[in-house]
Every structure is written in structure tokens, then in C-alpha cells.
Amino acid sequence: MSESTTSAGDFIADTVKADNESGLYSGRVQTRFPPEPNGYLHIGHAKAITADFGIAEQFGGTCNLRFDDTNPDTEETEYVESIIDDIEWLGFHPNQVFYASDYFEALYTWAEELITKGLAYVDDQDQETIQTQRGGFGKPGVESPYRERTIEENMDLFRRMRAGEYADGARVLRAKIDMQSDNMQLRDPVMYRIRRGFHHRTGDTWVIYPTYDWAHGQSDALEGVTHSMCTLEFVTNRPLYDWYLSHLELPYEKPQQLEFARLELTHTVTSKRKLRQLIEDGIVDGWDDPRMPTLQGLRRRGYPATAIRAFCAHIGINKTNSRHTLEELESFVRTELNRSAQRRMAVIRPLKLVIDNWPTEDGRTIGEARDAGDSPVPITTWFDINNNPENPADGTRRVPFTGELWIEQDDFAEVPPPKFFRLSVGREVRLRGAFLVTATEVIKDAEGNLLEVRATYDPASEGGNAPDGRKVKSTMHWVSATHGLDAEVRLYERLFSTEVPGETTGDPLDDLTENSVEVLAAKVEPALAPGDGVTPGQAGVEPGQAGVEPGQVSVEPGQVVQFERLGYFAADSRTPMLFHRTVGLRDEWATLQRKS
Ligand code: ATP
Ligand code: MG
């Protein structure tokens, strides 16, 4: 990776720098990203990934991916694969891929070591009793009646736990620390529970499973992690992290835990449990629904990985929890797409525009032929239109124009309201890159619904400019009705209507937006056809003509293009001719910034 992904001056970078200077880890920097494979990664994880990989990169160290797979009930291979895929998509490459489950034997051996040292004991009480005895802040803890078991007895019971002699939940192994500690985590935390469940990697080899706290720091230590970053809610776990490590023989220097703020976004939830509920309740179509804040969802929606990384670098690694606006993230997406996305024309709410003085193949105009009751084929002409004015190297494409076009319903008004400068009867507008046209009349059906708009064009305005330099206020996009292709376009609203979903009732699902997707039947220019090597709609064009080489003007699955005036749209990765709106064109974040 070329660009640096963390801003200098982050407190974690400062710590690493100080450790390098003091020689604590002999200059070694090793981090890890430790997801639990119980769901798909979301935008919050992107921050953690950027921090973990970014710090390693900044100091010439390494970052590994470690699956924190200590719970057989919730973990699946499907999640493992998607997580690997998402990290690569973001542009990071784990030095190695590890699994906490690879350390089950090593962790077990270390647990026996703690028993031998008199620092762990088997408790026969159930979870609920243990929980009650733990007490609370300012409330003393109660010691378990099993706390003073002999080392021999503990060892025997723990081995029998492993051998499967007891029922699920019948016994646990606990660390013997301090039942009166102000830190609840230190009140004899559970290290192992008995749980018969099929583990995605170890199958049914094990019936005892380590808890997060027992597995995490020890896994770090076994791998040689130096700086173990996690989110702020683990601050109170740090003394326990240190306690375990300080009582074991470690293969490397003791790792240290460093905490940073979670990333939260307005109108968004980033809890895997809540995201799963959205799927189970049928509110979204799956983990990769374009409304989901999962990396799969954002990617399907058309968010470039580079934009997500730039956003994470911009917010930095901070120590106070805060909620960033979705507009801020979208602003990074727009900046990136403005640079990279090809421009295309699409009409998402089509209205027919017929140009009466346009020539047909038999020499008459459309209007003359129609008056005679005929409908000869209108002539087609091709315009070279810029693919991306931001990037001249992207060149031009040929767009077919004819006397029957689609324009946006919103671009025409029978009775134009004040400040409406688009098309209305008697008014002239520019059809982007083509001609100036003036609307002459409207055609309606028996119920009074608008069927089409009739217009005339100025043949001297080819390319969109009048030779006499007369001004027209509006430039509108269009699609040739003869050549236009049918497409489905989906426009999205925020999934949650409130900035902090669930703030009032406690349940984010109470704040769901009623209709977060609008599905439209659009007409799009031929260059939006899927890239299958054929360029539809351009039959009869001489081979070799610029812009019409087979396959050149098309979109690939997942490609994001700008529909002029409408926003950025991602071609669906699976279904051809389906487009998701990524973001609109207006930068709402810039507006918010100006106001504040
Ligand atoms: P959830 O609570 O949604 O299940 P999690 O924190 O349990 O999420 P993990 O798979 O355990 O998810 O997370 C892997 C890493 O990503 C952890 O280090 C975690 O702290 C970090 N992480 C998770 N959510 C966020 C977030 N919103 N912002 C920053 N980092 C996060
Ligand atoms: Mg977790």
C-alpha cells in the first residue's frame, strides 16, 4: 500500500514510537485484527482494520488476521470467508491468518499452569449464582464455596471437564484473583465453560471453550503481538489482560492492550446482532443489501474501498466515542467517484419528447409523416460526449440521438412554477451535447395524463450551442427512445430515520424509515449495457468508428458510473441492468460545514 492510512500524532502511534525508542519490543511492531466470525464486517470494523494495519505499516511492522473463534454456537465458515474477502477488498493484506481455535491446546496447557500455581479453580455453581456472587460496584463479592479446593482436586476436575464427564454448564474454571476488587472483571472471571457444540474448525474435539478474556491476550502472546488494539469498552478488561499474562511464561515480550473509540455513524447501527435482526425480520435482503452498513453492502452500493479508507484516515484513531455524520462519509465517496466514475445518461422517470422537425429516412420530418398518418424511421445521429470531464484521458463515447427521446418528467412543467427554468411549452433548453429544443405542445390521453411533449429543434445548434450565441438557461440529459435500454434503478433512503437509531425507545428498529428503497423503471443509453463484448443499439455504425469498438462502451458488474444530474450509480454485481444509487451529487456535508 502506498498511502499512509493513519494520521500522524495519533496517541497509539505515539505509544508505539515511545516503545520503539525505549527498546521495549526491540523495535518490533506487530498488530492483529481479531474479528469473531459470527457475522459480516461493517463500517466500524473498517476503522479497526485501518488502525491495526495502518499502525503496522506506519512502523514497518506486520499485521495478522486472527479469527477470535472461541464460541462454537455462533461461528461459521461463511463468515470467515467473507471477512477475508472484505479485508482484501479494502486493500489490506494480512501477513498471516490465524485462528484462536488453533491455540485451544496451548491455552489448555496454560490453564493447567495457573491451576498448578493455585491461581485457578473449578467452580460447581451455575452461571447465575456466580453472577450474583460477583456483586457490583460498591457491593462486595461473595467467594465461591469451591474457591479453596486443592490443586490436585482442581486439576482432576478440570481434566474431567475436558474429557466430557460433565454436562454443559455443570462446572466452570475460574481464575482466582480478588472477589473484592473494584474492577468487576477481576472478581474471579470464568476462563472455561462446558459447551457441546460443533465448532466450525475443531468439530467436536472440545467440550470446553475458553472465554474471550482467557483466549484473547494469550493468543496475542503466542503470536508475538506487541500492540493489541481494541475498542474502548475493553478498558476495564485491560487489568485482567495484564493479570493473565503476568502469571504465565511467555514466548515473546508481553503484549499491551491499547483502546480507541468505536466508530458510530448517524442513521446507522453497527451491532452485528441488530444487523442480523434486520435480515431475519425481512427488512433488508441480506448482509449485502445496499442499505446495510456492512462492507458487503457498501461495496454493492458502490462505495469505493479507497473512499472508506480515506474517511477512516480522516477521522483518525481517537480516544473519545463520537458519532460521525453519514454525510461526512458520503462526501468521501463522492470525491472519489467524481474523479473516477464515467459519466452516462439515464432517465429514471421517463417522459417522451418528440421532435416534429426531425428528419426521417423517407425525407419527410416526423411531423409531416405523422400528419400523413405514417411513421417512417427517424434518422439517427451520433454525438461524442465526454466520459469524464474531470479526467480527459477517459475520452469520449458515441451517444445516439434521434427525434424521439426520453427526458425526465421533472424536467418538464406544463405550468412552470417561479424559478423553474427547465422545459415548458414555448421555452428553449439544451439537450446535453446535442441540440437546442423548444417545446411546442403537450399530448394527453383521455384521462388528461401527459403522454408526450412535442418540440422542435434548431438544426444550427448542433453540439448544443446556438450560432447566434443566444442563451438558454437549462441543460438537460436525455436518452434516445429508439436506442435506450430498459433498466431497473433503485434509490435509497437512510435505513433509520433518526440520527441515533433507538435513542428514544432503546430499540433501533423502532426508528426504521418506512420506505427506504424506491424502485424505478428507467431508460438508459446503450453504453450502460453489461460488458459482454457487444455494444447494443449501435448496429449499422461503421466498424472502427471511435467509441464503438465492441465492449468498449459498457459497464462491468459492480462498476460505478455517474448518471448525469442524478448521482452515482453502481451496476449490480449479479443482476445485469440493475443500478443502485450510491449517493446523490449534492455534497450535504459541505453544506453542513458552511452552516457550522
Ligand atoms: P459486534 O458487537 O457488532 O458483534 P464486535 O466488536 O463484537 O462487534 P468483533 O468481530 O469482535 O466485533 O470485532 C473485531 C474488532 O473490530 C474488535 O477489535 C472490535 O473492537 C472492532 N470493532 C467492532 N466494532 C467497531 C466499531 N464500531 N468501531 C471500531 N472498531 C470496531
Ligand atoms: Mg466481539
Side-chain angles (χ1 to χ4, degrees), residues 176-392:
K176 193 171 178 180
I177 308 181
D178 178 4
M179 285 306 290
Q180 307 311 331
S181 173
D182 283 345
N183 182 329
M184 296 309 127
Q185 311 283 348
L186 295 180
R187 292 191 179 180
D188 292 9
V190 172
M191 295 169 61
Y192 278 94
R193 44 205 157 54
I194 305 173
R195 180 96 211 105
R196 284 171 180 77
F198 192 82
H199 187 278
H200 76 118
R201 296 187 78 240
T202 58
D204 37 36
T205 308
W206 292 86
V207 295
I208 56 170
Y209 286 95
T211 53
Y212 167 86
D213 287 296
W214 173 242
H216 203 88
Q218 283 52 252
S219 301
D220 284 344
L222 287 165
E223 288 168 7
V225 167
T226 56
H227 300 86
S228 176
M229 290 177 256
C230 61
T231 37
L232 282 175
E233 68 270 25
F234 291 100
V235 166
T236 53
N237 300 56
R238 194 190 331 140
L240 179 56
Y241 181 99
D242 290 334
W243 189 90
Y244 283 136
L245 292 173
S246 63
H247 289 94
L248 298 167
E249 291 293 328
L250 305 180
Y252 302 92
E253 304 92 332
K254 187 165 102 49
Q256 61 180 306
Q257 178 183 303
L258 298 161
E259 309 86 14
F260 62 88
R262 288 180 80 86
L263 166 62
E264 302 287 356
L265 287 172
T266 55
H267 304 283
T268 306
V269 299
T270 50
S271 140
K272 277 183 259 179
R273 199 169 51 83
K274 284 290 166 199
L275 295 178
R276 182 174 293 106
Q277 203 184 332
L278 291 172
I279 297 167
E280 284 166 2
D281 292 359
I283 291 156
V284 297
D285 290 335
W287 290 101
D288 70 347
D289 186 297
R291 291 165 291 179
M292 290 284 267
T294 52
L295 296 183
Q296 299 271 338
L298 297 174
R299 175 175 171 181
R300 185 140 172 250
R301 175 87 172 250
Y303 278 38
T306 43
I308 294 175
R309 292 218 320 259
F311 170 73
C312 289
H314 160 80
I315 61 174
I317 311 175
N318 38 346
K319 239 179 181 164
T320 29
N321 281 321
S322 65
R323 201 172 273 268
H324 290 265
T325 65
L326 203 45
E327 289 81 359
E328 189 174 351
L329 171 59
E330 287 174 342
S331 178
F332 281 85
V333 171
R334 205 176 279 113
T335 302
E336 172 63 25
L337 291 176
N338 182 45
R339 194 183 58 72
S340 62
Q342 303 262 303
R343 274 55 171 170
R344 295 288 183 265
M345 289 198 285
V347 172
I348 59 174
R349 294 181 180 88
L351 169 64
K352 184 72 84 62
L353 181 75
V354 180
I355 300 173
D356 282 325
N357 62 337
W358 186 261
T360 69
E361 282 180 353
D362 73 3
R364 289 176 295 173
T365 64
I366 291 179
E368 287 162 356
R370 193 186 48 229
D371 291 346
D374 300 334
S375 46
V377 179
I379 280 176
T380 296
T381 188
W382 298 79
F383 288 104
D384 291 317
I385 297 187
N386 269 339
N387 282 328
N388 184 355
E390 299 288 322
N391 194 3

